[in-house]
Amino acid sequence: VLALNGKIREVGEKIFASNGKEVDFASALESCEEAGGTLATPMNEEENKAILGIWRRYEPNGKGTEKCVEMYTDGSWNDKKCNLYRLTICEF
């Protein structure tokens, strides 16, 4: 269900993994749940760095219809609409 292709990181009690696919929020959530996990939810700095870096200042800011988040290549975060295609990262 979830082909990791070497895209995996372990931090504390959590494992973060990506199947390398870019899909919308609902599809990403479904893929993660089918693999026995859920969408990645970093809860501290160490976990965030495991995914990549620190939060972008003032983001995600929860404005209106932007109810999902994405991470930029520099490790910062931004909230986006949930129907956009982004890389799937799961948490186990």
Side-chain angles (χ1 to χ4, degrees):
V1 173
L2 185 67
L4 299 178
N5 299 327
K7 299 176 178 112
I8 186 167
R9 291 202 176 181
E10 187 173 353
V11 179
E13 300 292 315
K14 291 184 179 180
I15 295 172
F16 296 108
S18 175
N19 61 5
K21 295 182 180 178
E22 294 187 7
V23 296
D24 63 14
F25 175 83
S27 298
L29 179 59
E30 183 179 354
S31 293
C32 292
E33 288 179 345
E34 285 178 1
T38 190
L39 284 173
T41 309
M43 300 302 287
N44 57 49
E45 187 174 356
E46 183 182 19
E47 292 176 3
N48 196 60
K49 283 182 178 179
I51 295 175
L52 183 63
I54 59 173
W55 294 80
R56 169 162 276 200
R57 192 171 185 192
Y58 307 122
E59 295 284 1
N61 57 18
K63 287 194 173 180
T65 60
E66 298 180 336
K67 300 189 184 306
C68 293
V69 293
E70 66 181 351
M71 180 183 274
Y72 293 130
T73 56
D74 67 359
S76 59
W77 287 81
N78 184 41
D79 46 348
K80 286 294 211 184
K81 293 183 178 180
C82 297
N83 64 344
L84 300 176
Y85 282 40
R86 295 295 182 261
L87 180 65
T88 302
I89 301 178
C90 303
E91 170 183 310
F92 301 92

